[in-house]
Structures are given as structure tokens and as C-alpha cells.
Amino acid sequence: MKNKLNISLIIPCRNEAEGIGHLVQRALQIAAEVIVVDNQSTDKTALVAKKAGARVIKEPRVDKLGIGYGYSLVKGMKAATHEIIVTLDGDGTYPLDQVAEAVKFLQKNCLDMVLCSRFPLVDGQAISLWRQAGVWVLNSEVRLLYGRALSDILSGMWVIRKPALGKLHLKQGGWNLSPEIKLAAALNQDLALDEFHIHHYEREFGQSKQKLVLTGLEHLWFILTYRLQTLWSALFASANKSWKLSREVGA
Ligand SMILES: Nc1nc2c(ncn2[C@@H]2O[C@H](COP(=O)(O)OP(=O)(O)O)[C@@H](O)[C@H]2O)c(=O)[nH]1
Ligand SMILES: [Mg+2]
């Protein structure tokens, strides 16, 4: 197919057999590589994705709540063969038709990462009011603790250059990978990032696996403790540096 982007598109999946075939077919119209990372699906997700032309990787690990979203994304991004990586969900909610624009935005502005933001919502119905309120609370927490005005800390779509990945030291295996990757990139002085506005659609098939309150609380706690951890590491690094310097001067 002509005019494919030289990118790797990563799709983490659990039980998306109903819609993944169609999504992969559409994705392969635009991306040179489509990787579906199957995490303990009990349906035919892997088979359907493979038949549709995706490269399928299995990721068996899950976090203590039984979620493997983060493990799967990291495994998929590491397996990417192209320098530019785009992630999105396997439920058709993120806009394949804006992938090219988002990649162009990264290249034109010499960025390392583009956070694809669903807000302000183009279609107010696409995300429930509960979820919108939850994202607003978490965005506010990020603004307060990190001083960064990100408009969608939970978006599942981003564009990242593979070399930037190695600088982020990602550890979250579950849903917290989504805030972790954005916060790690925002805190890294060596990386340039910006936001790109995207459309968002209602789920085409199947059902969300989300336990909203539990996941929301998990995010709230993660965003707080990650800030404390990163502040502590920065403090430790600077104390260590001054100590080494004073020893050199004293020697
Ligand atoms: N790898 C992996 N993917 C998951 C898991 N749970 C959900 N997903 C995928 O992550 C994406 C988002 O999940 P979804 O249930 O739609 O959550 P929502 O978008 O927050 O409602 C979809 O592609 C799911 O198939 C999991 O435990 N592991
Ligand atoms: Mg979804």
C-alpha cells in the first residue's frame, strides 16, 4: 500500500476480538507496522488480529489488580521496529485518521513526545460526565503538584520517539502507565513534548474493562507518590553532587 507512515502503531488488548480485526485492517492502511499486544485475552483477540495482518505479541504479566495495560504497552513499544511509535486502544475510540497529523506535529516541531489530548471534547457524549470529572480532578492534581497544565493525563494515545523511551524508566504494569509516561516525560529536561488535540469516539464494540472508582483512586495516589519519589530522587542526586564536590575541593 502506498503512502504508509514509517511508524509502529502499538495496540494493547484484552478481549477485543469483536472489533480488533477491523481496527487492524484500517491501521495497516496508514502504518508500516501494527503491533497488537495481547494480555491474557480469553477470546480470539490474538487470532483475529494476526489474521488481519498485525504482528501479535503476548504479554502474560499483570499487576496486583489483574491489569496488564502498562506491561503490554512497554513490551509493544520496546518491540517496535520504527523510530516513531504511536499508541492507541483496541476499541476504536481513538482517531486513526489523526495519526498522520499527530506524527507530522512531532516531526515539524522537533519533539520527542506528543500527548494526544481528548479535551476539549469534540463530541460531548463520547466520554461520560463521571469520567470527564475524574480526568479534570487528576489534571488539577498534576497542575498543583507538578506545575504542568496538561489537559488529558489519561489519554491512551501518544506519539513518542523510541530513543526517548529509554530515558523514562517506566515501571507501572497497570493503568498507571498512562499517567506515568506523561509525567516522566514532562519532568525530563532533555525531552521536548507538546499536546495535540484529537477527536474521541464512543467504544465501537464490547465493553470497557474499567472499574472507574478503583482506577481513579489508584491514579490519584500514584500521581501524589510519583511526585514525592521524583522530588526525593532529585534531592538525593543534588546532595550527592554537593558532597562529591566538597570532597574534591577538600582533597
Ligand atoms: N494489555 C492489556 N490491555 C488491556 C487490559 N485491560 C484493558 N486493556 C486494553 O486497554 C485498552 C483500554 O481499555 P478499556 O477497557 O477500553 O478502558 P477505557 O478506555 O478506560 O474504558 C483497550 O484496548 C483494552 O483492550 C489489560 O489488562 N491488559
Ligand atoms: Mg476504551
Side-chain angles (χ1 to χ4, degrees):
M1 184 103 17
K2 283 187 292 176
N3 298 328
K4 278 196 188 186
L5 297 166
N6 279 324
I7 61 166
S8 297
L9 198 73
I10 315 298
I11 311 178
C13 279
R14 181 178 291 178
N15 294 339
E16 300 287 0
E18 247 182 304
I20 194 66
H22 182 53
L23 185 71
V24 167
Q25 279 166 6
R26 288 196 294 137
L28 280 168
Q29 307 276 317
I30 56 159
E33 180 175 56
V34 176
I35 301 180
V36 167
V37 191
D38 179 36
N39 182 239
Q40 300 205 352
S41 290
T42 50
D43 66 4
K44 294 203 163 109
T45 297
L47 192 72
V48 175
K50 198 165 181 196
K51 269 195 182 160
R55 191 178 145 201
V56 176
I57 297 176
K58 297 250 182 184
E59 170 54 79
R61 286 176 299 166
V62 292
D63 71 359
K64 56 185 183 304
L65 296 176
I67 304 296
Y69 174 82
Y71 289 127
S72 303
L73 273 169
V74 171
K75 191 165 191 176
M77 290 191 289
K78 282 189 180 161
T81 58
H82 293 273
E83 197 223 335
I84 297 180
I85 296 168
V86 180
T87 66
L88 43 79
D89 289 356
D91 56 2
T93 50
Y94 286 92
L96 275 175
D97 57 342
Q98 283 184 286
V99 167
E101 281 174 79
V103 169
K104 204 166 163 196
F105 183 75
L106 174 110
Q107 291 171 320
K108 202 172 139 215
N109 297 295
C110 301
L111 300 169
D112 297 291
M113 184 171 182
V114 171
L115 313 181
C116 299
S117 169
R118 301 163 295 175
F119 298 99
L121 279 182
V122 177
D123 169 9
Q125 309 288 313
I127 303 184
S128 72
L129 282 175
W130 274 113
R131 278 189 190 239
Q132 291 184 46
V135 176
W136 182 85
V137 169
L138 298 173
N139 286 343
S140 306
E141 187 187 10
V142 169
R143 196 169 312 130
L144 193 74
L145 298 178
Y146 296 77
R148 292 292 297 244
L150 303 182
S151 63
D152 190 1
I153 191 66
L154 294 188
S155 172
M157 180 171 171
W158 56 81
V159 187
I160 189 164
R161 290 184 192 272
K162 202 167 177 189
L165 252 187
K167 300 183 178 172
L168 299 180
H169 313 292
L170 303 170
K171 295 194 178 72
Q172 297 303 306
W175 294 120
N176 273 331
L177 188 276
S178 176
E180 184 188 30
I181 194 167
K182 298 176 188 86
L183 294 173
L187 289 173
N188 193 312
Q189 309 273 337
D190 296 340
L191 300 180
L193 70 148
D194 203 348
E195 292 194 337
F196 179 81
H197 187 229
I198 51 163
H199 292 241
H200 192 68
Y201 304 105
E202 286 184 60
R203 211 174 215 285
E204 281 178 8
F205 299 95
Q207 279 188 346
S208 165
K209 282 101 199 159
Q210 219 35 273
K211 290 183 178 127
L212 281 188
V213 177
L214 184 67
T215 310
L217 290 173
E218 206 199 355
H219 287 323
L220 209 63
W221 180 246
F222 171 76
I223 291 168
L224 170 68
T225 51
Y226 190 71
R227 173 77 287 203
L228 297 176
Q229 257 173 44
T230 48
L231 279 175
W232 176 249
S233 308
L235 203 71
F236 184 74
S238 106
N240 208 16
K241 205 169 154 192
S242 331
W243 182 72
K244 275 190 184 153
L245 208 70
S246 65
R247 269 186 51 151
E248 275 168 26
V249 171

